[in-house]
């Protein structure tokens, strides 16, 4: 049976005889693995089209035991991500989380859309930086508000938090922000329970709950309502970014069985360079 679908290449592993096993995040069928014949050969036309980060229109021969890549039409290679070590580090983390958190064949169109939009945003970031450098070299005035916003640098840690909060939602773990998770009381709560997944009112507060303050609730609520392109252009105080980073990590460990991914170790290493 042939399956034609948009897909993002999450990973690629060499097999024997120049073949490769690629892991795909497909739009309609979730995560799939497929053999790409000759994909490790430098003379193969399919080698370049099955690299990680590639977004393409894939034709797969779906079998009982193995799937096989018939052809690929590349829609976006995300070249700028692959050419920038820091962007590639964050991008690798996004790919690895999608790969590890989904079971094979588990459909999740929301995650496919999220991954696509975040990678598109990262790829565009390179364009903004290059244009800023070019504008500076030719003496373009960057002082106007409109121009300054156009070249606004991207906070990659903030993008990571946006991705994680959206990821939790696509996996079915929406954080309760408006009501106490214990009694249902509505209000401007300032305490939080990681195990129970949301706000805690003052009447239900127990030892071990976190006081995170109203601002973090407001930021998380903002993330839940806004699109990726708007959020990637939003500037958040670094103190709140750091606090949300810790909170997201704890929440993902608790509710998604989150582990220390190899890509996070890679990110830590390149930040020191």
């Amino acid at each position: 049976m042939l399956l034609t679908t948009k897909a993002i290449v999450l990973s690629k592993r060499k097999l024997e005889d120049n073949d490769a096993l690629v892991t795909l995040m497909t739009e309609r069928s979730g995560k799939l693995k497929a053999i790409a014949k000759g994909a490790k050969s430098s003379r193969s036309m399919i080698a370049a089209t099955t690299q990680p980060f590639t977004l393409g229109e894939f034709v797969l021969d779906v079998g009982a035991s193995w799937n096989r890549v018939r052809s690929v039409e590349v829609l976006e290679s995300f070249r700028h991500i692959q050419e920038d070590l820091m962007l590639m580090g964050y991008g690798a983390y996004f790919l690895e989380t999608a790969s590890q958190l989904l079971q094979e064949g588990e459909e999740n169109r929301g995650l496919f859309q999220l991954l696509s939009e975040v990678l598109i945003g990262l790829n565009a970031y390179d364009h903004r930086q290059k244009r800023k450098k070019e504008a500076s070299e030719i003496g373009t005035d960057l002082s106007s508000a409109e121009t300054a916003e156009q070249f606004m640098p991207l906070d990659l840690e903030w993008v990571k938090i946006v991705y994680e909060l959206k990821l939790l939602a696509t996996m079915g773990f929406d954080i309760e922000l408006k009501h106490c998770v214990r009694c249902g009381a509505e209000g401007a709560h300032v305490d939080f329970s990681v195990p129970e997944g949301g706000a805690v009112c003052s009447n239900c507060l127990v030892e071990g709950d976190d006081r995170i303050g109203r601002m973090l609730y407001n930021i998380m609520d903002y993330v839940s309502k806004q699109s990726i392109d708007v959020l990637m252009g939003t500037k958040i105080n670094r103190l709140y970014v750091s606090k949300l980073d810790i909170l997201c990590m704890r929440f993902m460990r608790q509710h998604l069985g989150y582990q220390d991914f190899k890509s996070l170790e890679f990110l830590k290493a390149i930040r020191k360079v």
Side-chain angles (χ1 to χ4, degrees):
M1 180 182 73
L2 290 182
L3 171 67
T4 301
T5 181
K6 286 183 180 179
I8 300 169
V9 181
L10 301 178
S11 64
K12 183 177 183 178
R13 180 167 63 86
K14 184 177 180 180
L15 300 175
E16 296 179 356
D17 300 324
N18 285 321
D19 297 339
L21 180 65
V22 293
T23 302
L24 305 172
M25 177 67 198
T26 70
E27 183 177 32
R28 293 184 295 164
S29 303
K31 186 177 76 171
L32 292 177
K33 292 183 179 180
I35 295 175
K37 302 290 289 184
K40 280 296 182 179
S41 171
S42 59
R43 294 172 293 179
S44 171
M45 292 294 292
I46 206 170
T49 63
T50 53
Q51 295 300 320
F53 293 104
T54 301
L55 169 65
E57 188 81 20
F58 282 73
V59 177
L60 304 176
D61 189 354
V62 179
S65 300
W66 291 100
N67 306 316
R68 185 168 67 87
V69 178
R70 280 277 190 99
S71 63
V72 186
E73 178 187 351
V74 176
L75 303 176
E76 177 59 71
S77 64
F78 300 110
R79 178 173 59 87
H80 298 115
I81 295 176
Q82 299 189 60
E83 291 175 347
D84 184 290
L85 190 61
M86 189 64 73
L87 292 180
M88 187 171 65
Y90 280 91
Y93 170 67
F94 301 148
L95 296 188
E96 189 176 11
T97 51
S99 180
Q100 294 294 334
L101 294 176
L102 273 187
Q103 298 296 317
E104 192 163 352
E106 179 183 353
E107 180 182 353
N108 193 319
R109 297 195 184 193
L111 181 51
F112 176 85
Q113 186 68 26
L114 170 63
L115 192 58
S116 300
E117 291 178 359
V118 169
L119 292 179
I120 288 170
L122 286 184
N123 205 51
Y125 171 59
D126 182 88
H127 288 296
R128 289 200 295 274
Q129 292 300 96
K130 287 185 182 300
R131 288 167 59 202
K132 181 177 182 179
K133 180 180 178 181
E134 292 167 357
S136 177
E137 289 174 348
I138 63 177
T140 300
D141 181 17
L142 300 179
S143 60
S144 71
E146 182 179 355
T147 306
E149 182 178 354
Q150 182 181 12
F151 294 117
M152 188 179 293
L154 195 64
D155 184 340
L156 294 174
E157 277 299 293
W158 166 242
V159 174
K160 176 176 173 287
I161 290 166
V162 167
Y163 172 81
E164 289 172 343
L165 289 173
K166 295 283 191 183
L167 172 66
L168 285 163
T170 65
M171 299 298 292
F173 294 94
D174 285 306
I175 298 174
E176 177 55 62
L177 302 172
K178 302 295 186 181
H179 301 84
C180 174
V181 292
R182 293 181 182 137
C183 71
E186 186 176 0
H189 306 303
V190 295
D191 297 296
F192 190 87
S193 168
V194 170
E196 293 172 78
V200 176
C201 72
S202 57
N203 292 329
C204 295
L205 185 65
V206 298
E207 186 177 353
D209 291 338
D210 296 282
R211 172 148 294 197
I212 66 173
R214 192 62 206 162
M215 181 57 73
L216 291 193
Y217 280 111
N218 292 339
I219 295 173
M220 288 189 285
D221 186 51
Y222 179 74
V223 170
S224 71
K225 295 175 179 177
Q226 293 295 333
S227 63
I228 291 296
D229 60 333
V230 170
L231 290 168
M232 292 184 84
T234 301
K235 307 314 291 180
I236 300 295
N237 185 289
R238 289 295 304 171
L239 175 63
Y240 297 130
V241 170
S242 297
K243 288 183 176 181
L244 278 171
D245 183 42
I246 295 170
L247 188 65
C248 283
M249 184 71 67
R250 290 178 58 203
F251 199 92
M252 291 178 70
R253 285 183 188 277
Q254 179 77 40
H255 296 280
L256 297 180
Y258 185 82
Q259 300 178 2
D260 291 326
F261 293 105
K262 293 179 181 179
S263 51
L264 285 182
E265 294 302 316
F266 176 64
L267 267 176
K268 290 178 183 177
I270 61 178
R271 285 196 196 106
K272 296 177 182 177
V273 175

